[in-house]
Amino acid sequence: MKSYLALIAIDLKLAARMRTVIFFNYLFPLMIFFIFGTVFKASRSPEAVTYVLTMSVALGILGNGLFGAGIRAVQEREMNILRRYKVTPISPAPLLVASMVTGWVVFMPYIVLVFTLAHMVYKMPWPAHLGTLALFISLGLVAFRSFGLVIASVANTMQEAAILVQLCYFPMLFLSGATVPSSIFPHIVQLISNFIPATYLVKGVQGIMLQGQGMHEIWKWVLALVVTAGVGLAVGTKLFRWEKEEKIQPSAKMWILVALIPFLVLGAYYAYTGVGTPVSPFGDR
């Protein structure tokens, strides 16, 4: 336990010194929050401010997971920081757990901040199920950080990691309903969006806030996030490399698909049953 606590403390200090951490966890999501809050006139209805808030939260989680965990892990390997840990009697597990805890500690103050701003600036009522919402956001954060660590594990260089992160980030950004309401997508794009992991993060947050849904009502999405987090940690541990000279085969990148299996199953289920059609976050207004 001492090794875990020591690594968490070190990781928090390193995170506080990185400008990218501040940008992707606070500045960028806040810019999106205020820009789209103005564009969509968030104060006009609870649905509008919830959509803007969900967008900001989703972007923050994606940035925290894919850039904060994925890119940073590759940076530490290429800068030979991980090599220094190798000479100590430590396994990869404490490092990965410390990354998870650090990401959560760094990001959750932003959640408090943005919800407070939504209440004060756009007159959003406080959610009735704050505990459920905080738990679901935490699960989403852990799942996407795990996915980021999978990308870091299969990328041999920083260039590869950047390409893989962008290939995952932009589809999640634009096809999940985080930036563009999925209800306006053509039918074929709506079907594709059901295979996008961030779609269920967006649906879950909106469902809890607008419809008062509990964990038992969104259990499929919760289970997908939990399984992804577990698979991501397992793959991250299995493929963990201490030094940049250690390379893995190109076929190892298929592990990314393994981490996506829960969402591929969900997408196939919704495509087959025809349920899960997105609803406009603005209601009928």
mmCIF file of all heavy atoms in Angstrom, residues 94-121:
data_model
loop_
_atom_site.group_PDB
_atom_site.id
_atom_site.type_symbol
_atom_site.label_atom_id
_atom_site.label_comp_id
_atom_site.label_asym_id
_atom_site.label_seq_id
_atom_site.Cartn_x
_atom_site.Cartn_y
_atom_site.Cartn_z
ATOM 1 N N PRO A 94 0.986 -0.930 -9.669
ATOM 2 C CA PRO A 94 0.908 0.321 -8.903
ATOM 3 C C PRO A 94 1.004 1.568 -9.769
ATOM 4 O O PRO A 94 0.339 2.580 -9.481
ATOM 5 C CB PRO A 94 2.111 0.224 -7.948
ATOM 6 C CG PRO A 94 2.384 -1.222 -7.818
ATOM 7 C CD PRO A 94 2.069 -1.796 -9.169
ATOM 8 N N LEU A 95 1.795 1.524 -10.830
ATOM 9 C CA LEU A 95 1.910 2.677 -11.723
ATOM 10 C C LEU A 95 0.592 2.956 -12.440
ATOM 11 O O LEU A 95 0.166 4.105 -12.562
ATOM 12 C CB LEU A 95 3.019 2.431 -12.750
ATOM 13 C CG LEU A 95 4.458 2.478 -12.228
ATOM 14 C CD1 LEU A 95 5.421 1.978 -13.298
ATOM 15 C CD2 LEU A 95 4.835 3.887 -11.809
ATOM 16 N N LEU A 96 -0.075 1.889 -12.889
ATOM 17 C CA LEU A 96 -1.336 2.067 -13.599
ATOM 18 C C LEU A 96 -2.438 2.537 -12.658
ATOM 19 O O LEU A 96 -3.248 3.401 -13.012
ATOM 20 C CB LEU A 96 -1.732 0.756 -14.279
ATOM 21 C CG LEU A 96 -0.750 0.232 -15.332
ATOM 22 C CD1 LEU A 96 -1.270 -1.062 -15.952
ATOM 23 C CD2 LEU A 96 -0.503 1.267 -16.412
ATOM 24 N N VAL A 97 -2.467 1.977 -11.469
ATOM 25 C CA VAL A 97 -3.471 2.400 -10.482
ATOM 26 C C VAL A 97 -3.234 3.854 -10.085
ATOM 27 O O VAL A 97 -4.179 4.637 -9.951
ATOM 28 C CB VAL A 97 -3.437 1.480 -9.242
ATOM 29 C CG1 VAL A 97 -4.325 2.044 -8.128
ATOM 30 C CG2 VAL A 97 -3.904 0.075 -9.614
ATOM 31 N N ALA A 98 -1.969 4.227 -9.895
ATOM 32 C CA ALA A 98 -1.648 5.618 -9.563
ATOM 33 C C ALA A 98 -2.111 6.556 -10.667
ATOM 34 O O ALA A 98 -2.616 7.655 -10.393
ATOM 35 C CB ALA A 98 -0.145 5.769 -9.331
ATOM 36 N N SER A 99 -1.980 6.136 -11.919
ATOM 37 C CA SER A 99 -2.448 6.950 -13.042
ATOM 38 C C SER A 99 -3.957 7.143 -12.971
ATOM 39 O O SER A 99 -4.467 8.242 -13.213
ATOM 40 C CB SER A 99 -2.063 6.281 -14.366
ATOM 41 O OG SER A 99 -2.620 6.980 -15.460
ATOM 42 N N MET A 100 -4.680 6.080 -12.625
ATOM 43 C CA MET A 100 -6.141 6.167 -12.503
ATOM 44 C C MET A 100 -6.546 7.140 -11.389
ATOM 45 O O MET A 100 -7.402 8.011 -11.576
ATOM 46 C CB MET A 100 -6.735 4.793 -12.208
ATOM 47 C CG MET A 100 -6.591 3.809 -13.326
ATOM 48 S SD MET A 100 -7.522 4.338 -14.773
ATOM 49 C CE MET A 100 -6.981 3.120 -15.951
ATOM 50 N N VAL A 101 -5.941 6.973 -10.240
ATOM 51 C CA VAL A 101 -6.292 7.809 -9.090
ATOM 52 C C VAL A 101 -5.935 9.268 -9.364
ATOM 53 O O VAL A 101 -6.706 10.184 -9.059
ATOM 54 C CB VAL A 101 -5.585 7.300 -7.813
ATOM 55 C CG1 VAL A 101 -5.843 8.247 -6.641
ATOM 56 C CG2 VAL A 101 -6.061 5.896 -7.469
ATOM 57 N N THR A 102 -4.769 9.491 -9.952
ATOM 58 C CA THR A 102 -4.355 10.853 -10.269
ATOM 59 C C THR A 102 -5.327 11.517 -11.227
ATOM 60 O O THR A 102 -5.723 12.677 -11.035
ATOM 61 C CB THR A 102 -2.944 10.858 -10.882
ATOM 62 O OG1 THR A 102 -2.025 10.314 -9.944
ATOM 63 C CG2 THR A 102 -2.515 12.270 -11.242
ATOM 64 N N GLY A 103 -5.730 10.782 -12.261
ATOM 65 C CA GLY A 103 -6.684 11.329 -13.218
ATOM 66 C C GLY A 103 -7.994 11.714 -12.561
ATOM 67 O O GLY A 103 -8.578 12.757 -12.875
ATOM 68 N N TRP A 104 -8.461 10.882 -11.640
ATOM 69 C CA TRP A 104 -9.722 11.163 -10.943
ATOM 70 C C TRP A 104 -9.580 12.384 -10.030
ATOM 71 O O TRP A 104 -10.452 13.266 -10.024
ATOM 72 C CB TRP A 104 -10.141 9.944 -10.130
ATOM 73 C CG TRP A 104 -11.496 10.077 -9.496
ATOM 74 C CD1 TRP A 104 -12.699 9.783 -10.050
ATOM 75 C CD2 TRP A 104 -11.778 10.568 -8.171
ATOM 76 N NE1 TRP A 104 -13.725 10.041 -9.166
ATOM 77 C CE2 TRP A 104 -13.180 10.530 -8.008
ATOM 78 C CE3 TRP A 104 -10.980 11.019 -7.122
ATOM 79 C CZ2 TRP A 104 -13.804 10.938 -6.826
ATOM 80 C CZ3 TRP A 104 -11.599 11.428 -5.955
ATOM 81 C CH2 TRP A 104 -12.987 11.383 -5.813
ATOM 82 N N VAL A 105 -8.499 12.452 -9.276
ATOM 83 C CA VAL A 105 -8.280 13.565 -8.346
ATOM 84 C C VAL A 105 -8.145 14.880 -9.106
ATOM 85 O O VAL A 105 -8.660 15.921 -8.671
ATOM 86 C CB VAL A 105 -7.027 13.313 -7.473
ATOM 87 C CG1 VAL A 105 -6.670 14.543 -6.658
ATOM 88 C CG2 VAL A 105 -7.266 12.133 -6.540
ATOM 89 N N VAL A 106 -7.472 14.844 -10.256
ATOM 90 C CA VAL A 106 -7.280 16.061 -11.035
ATOM 91 C C VAL A 106 -8.582 16.513 -11.685
ATOM 92 O O VAL A 106 -8.878 17.710 -11.753
ATOM 93 C CB VAL A 106 -6.193 15.835 -12.110
ATOM 94 C CG1 VAL A 106 -6.162 16.992 -13.116
ATOM 95 C CG2 VAL A 106 -4.828 15.693 -11.460
ATOM 96 N N PHE A 107 -9.403 15.552 -12.135
ATOM 97 C CA PHE A 107 -10.572 15.904 -12.942
ATOM 98 C C PHE A 107 -11.818 16.252 -12.132
ATOM 99 O O PHE A 107 -12.593 17.135 -12.542
ATOM 100 C CB PHE A 107 -10.906 14.748 -13.884
ATOM 101 C CG PHE A 107 -12.029 15.058 -14.835
ATOM 102 C CD1 PHE A 107 -11.855 15.973 -15.863
ATOM 103 C CD2 PHE A 107 -13.267 14.446 -14.708
ATOM 104 C CE1 PHE A 107 -12.879 16.266 -16.747
ATOM 105 C CE2 PHE A 107 -14.294 14.728 -15.583
ATOM 106 C CZ PHE A 107 -14.102 15.639 -16.610
ATOM 107 N N MET A 108 -12.041 15.604 -11.012
ATOM 108 C CA MET A 108 -13.303 15.801 -10.287
ATOM 109 C C MET A 108 -13.509 17.230 -9.789
ATOM 110 O O MET A 108 -14.657 17.704 -9.758
ATOM 111 C CB MET A 108 -13.416 14.804 -9.136
ATOM 112 C CG MET A 108 -13.611 13.360 -9.596
ATOM 113 S SD MET A 108 -14.923 13.116 -10.823
ATOM 114 C CE MET A 108 -16.382 13.341 -9.807
ATOM 115 N N PRO A 109 -12.461 17.989 -9.418
ATOM 116 C CA PRO A 109 -12.698 19.406 -9.094
ATOM 117 C C PRO A 109 -13.293 20.171 -10.266
ATOM 118 O O PRO A 109 -14.080 21.111 -10.059
ATOM 119 C CB PRO A 109 -11.301 19.930 -8.732
ATOM 120 C CG PRO A 109 -10.588 18.727 -8.229
ATOM 121 C CD PRO A 109 -11.087 17.585 -9.067
ATOM 122 N N TYR A 110 -12.936 19.792 -11.488
ATOM 123 C CA TYR A 110 -13.538 20.440 -12.653
ATOM 124 C C TYR A 110 -15.042 20.171 -12.708
ATOM 125 O O TYR A 110 -15.826 21.064 -13.065
ATOM 126 C CB TYR A 110 -12.884 19.947 -13.943
ATOM 127 C CG TYR A 110 -13.649 20.379 -15.168
ATOM 128 C CD1 TYR A 110 -13.598 21.707 -15.597
ATOM 129 C CD2 TYR A 110 -14.469 19.490 -15.875
ATOM 130 C CE1 TYR A 110 -14.322 22.129 -16.700
ATOM 131 C CE2 TYR A 110 -15.198 19.911 -16.968
ATOM 132 C CZ TYR A 110 -15.125 21.226 -17.377
ATOM 133 O OH TYR A 110 -15.860 21.638 -18.454
ATOM 134 N N ILE A 111 -15.452 18.965 -12.366
ATOM 135 C CA ILE A 111 -16.880 18.629 -12.351
ATOM 136 C C ILE A 111 -17.617 19.528 -11.367
ATOM 137 O O ILE A 111 -18.682 20.076 -11.672
ATOM 138 C CB ILE A 111 -17.084 17.147 -11.977
ATOM 139 C CG1 ILE A 111 -16.491 16.244 -13.065
ATOM 140 C CG2 ILE A 111 -18.564 16.831 -11.783
ATOM 141 C CD1 ILE A 111 -17.144 16.401 -14.413
ATOM 142 N N VAL A 112 -17.051 19.701 -10.183
ATOM 143 C CA VAL A 112 -17.665 20.589 -9.188
ATOM 144 C C VAL A 112 -17.743 22.007 -9.731
ATOM 145 O O VAL A 112 -18.767 22.697 -9.613
ATOM 146 C CB VAL A 112 -16.866 20.552 -7.872
ATOM 147 C CG1 VAL A 112 -17.435 21.559 -6.874
ATOM 148 C CG2 VAL A 112 -16.886 19.147 -7.279
ATOM 149 N N LEU A 113 -16.650 22.456 -10.366
ATOM 150 C CA LEU A 113 -16.591 23.818 -10.900
ATOM 151 C C LEU A 113 -17.623 24.046 -11.998
ATOM 152 O O LEU A 113 -18.372 25.032 -11.978
ATOM 153 C CB LEU A 113 -15.183 24.099 -11.436
ATOM 154 C CG LEU A 113 -14.980 25.426 -12.178
ATOM 155 C CD1 LEU A 113 -15.240 26.607 -11.248
ATOM 156 C CD2 LEU A 113 -13.572 25.488 -12.769
ATOM 157 N N VAL A 114 -17.704 23.129 -12.977
ATOM 158 C CA VAL A 114 -18.579 23.355 -14.125
ATOM 159 C C VAL A 114 -20.055 23.240 -13.743
ATOM 160 O O VAL A 114 -20.909 23.963 -14.270
ATOM 161 C CB VAL A 114 -18.218 22.393 -15.281
ATOM 162 C CG1 VAL A 114 -18.714 20.981 -15.016
ATOM 163 C CG2 VAL A 114 -18.772 22.910 -16.598
ATOM 164 N N PHE A 115 -20.383 22.368 -12.796
ATOM 165 C CA PHE A 115 -21.764 22.278 -12.339
ATOM 166 C C PHE A 115 -22.153 23.531 -11.558
ATOM 167 O O PHE A 115 -23.288 24.009 -11.667
ATOM 168 C CB PHE A 115 -21.961 21.024 -11.480
ATOM 169 C CG PHE A 115 -22.325 19.808 -12.274
ATOM 170 C CD1 PHE A 115 -21.357 19.105 -12.969
ATOM 171 C CD2 PHE A 115 -23.630 19.367 -12.343
ATOM 172 C CE1 PHE A 115 -21.680 17.989 -13.717
ATOM 173 C CE2 PHE A 115 -23.972 18.250 -13.088
ATOM 174 C CZ PHE A 115 -22.996 17.557 -13.782
ATOM 175 N N THR A 116 -21.217 24.053 -10.791
ATOM 176 C CA THR A 116 -21.481 25.295 -10.061
ATOM 177 C C THR A 116 -21.686 26.452 -11.033
ATOM 178 O O THR A 116 -22.598 27.272 -10.860
ATOM 179 C CB THR A 116 -20.313 25.608 -9.108
ATOM 180 O OG1 THR A 116 -20.144 24.518 -8.191
ATOM 181 C CG2 THR A 116 -20.594 26.879 -8.311
ATOM 182 N N LEU A 117 -20.862 26.523 -12.069
ATOM 183 C CA LEU A 117 -21.011 27.577 -13.071
ATOM 184 C C LEU A 117 -22.336 27.434 -13.826
ATOM 185 O O LEU A 117 -23.002 28.430 -14.122
ATOM 186 C CB LEU A 117 -19.844 27.526 -14.058
ATOM 187 C CG LEU A 117 -18.479 27.970 -13.517
ATOM 188 C CD1 LEU A 117 -17.387 27.699 -14.542
ATOM 189 C CD2 LEU A 117 -18.505 29.443 -13.147
ATOM 190 N N ALA A 118 -22.714 26.201 -14.146
ATOM 191 C CA ALA A 118 -23.984 25.984 -14.842
ATOM 192 C C ALA A 118 -25.161 26.445 -13.983
ATOM 193 O O ALA A 118 -26.134 27.011 -14.490
ATOM 194 C CB ALA A 118 -24.137 24.506 -15.187
ATOM 195 N N HIS A 119 -25.050 26.239 -12.682
ATOM 196 C CA HIS A 119 -26.117 26.662 -11.758
ATOM 197 C C HIS A 119 -26.152 28.180 -11.619
ATOM 198 O O HIS A 119 -27.232 28.800 -11.643
ATOM 199 C CB HIS A 119 -25.902 26.004 -10.404
ATOM 200 C CG HIS A 119 -26.873 26.447 -9.357
ATOM 201 N ND1 HIS A 119 -28.210 26.088 -9.368
ATOM 202 C CD2 HIS A 119 -26.709 27.243 -8.260
ATOM 203 C CE1 HIS A 119 -28.824 26.631 -8.331
ATOM 204 N NE2 HIS A 119 -27.934 27.338 -7.650
ATOM 205 N N MET A 120 -24.971 28.787 -11.500
ATOM 206 C CA MET A 120 -24.912 30.221 -11.239
ATOM 207 C C MET A 120 -25.106 31.061 -12.506
ATOM 208 O O MET A 120 -25.794 32.081 -12.480
ATOM 209 C CB MET A 120 -23.566 30.564 -10.583
ATOM 210 C CG MET A 120 -23.375 29.933 -9.216
ATOM 211 S SD MET A 120 -21.753 30.317 -8.501
ATOM 212 C CE MET A 120 -21.894 32.093 -8.302
ATOM 213 N N VAL A 121 -24.504 30.628 -13.615
ATOM 214 C CA VAL A 121 -24.538 31.428 -14.842
ATOM 215 C C VAL A 121 -25.793 31.146 -15.656
ATOM 216 O O VAL A 121 -26.444 32.071 -16.152
ATOM 217 C CB VAL A 121 -23.278 31.165 -15.688
ATOM 218 C CG1 VAL A 121 -23.348 31.949 -17.003
ATOM 219 C CG2 VAL A 121 -22.019 31.538 -14.910
#
